[in-house]
Amino acid sequence: ASINNVDTIHVRGTGNTMSGALTTQSGSILHLEAVVSHAQLTLSNGFTNNGTLRLDNTVAPGSWQTNLFISSGTLINASGG
């Protein structure tokens, strides 16, 4: 299913996937946060990011990783995002 992010998507933990099209609106946030484990998100398609993309490790920097994987296509950061 397609996802239209107009607010905030929080991702924690591993094994997270989105197989439909991702659309991010201006002012939206895609936030991957390593808290007590790695934070990983796999997108099946590239997308144009019109919002904020945050990859954080807020507990123990160096201990946990935040990873965004794109299986096919490209991530484009729009100039207005």
Side-chain angles (χ1 to χ4, degrees):
S2 297
I3 296 173
N4 182 21
N5 184 19
V6 297
D7 192 7
T8 302
I9 296 174
H10 289 279
V11 177
R12 293 181 177 166
T14 60
N16 301 294
T17 61
M18 288 185 192
S19 58
L22 173 63
T23 303
T24 59
Q25 302 299 321
S26 178
S28 68
I29 300 170
L30 177 57
H31 186 200
L32 283 69
E33 183 179 22
V35 178
V36 295
S37 69
H38 302 297
Q40 297 177 341
L41 174 63
T42 300
L43 302 172
S44 58
N45 301 300
F47 69 102
T48 299
N49 181 37
N50 294 295
T52 300
L53 179 58
R54 290 182 55 188
L55 304 173
D56 290 330
N57 178 335
T58 57
V59 177
S63 298
W64 305 111
Q65 297 177 357
T66 53
N67 298 299
L68 176 63
F69 300 106
I70 298 175
S71 299
S72 177
T74 306
L75 167 63
I76 299 170
N77 279 312
S79 60

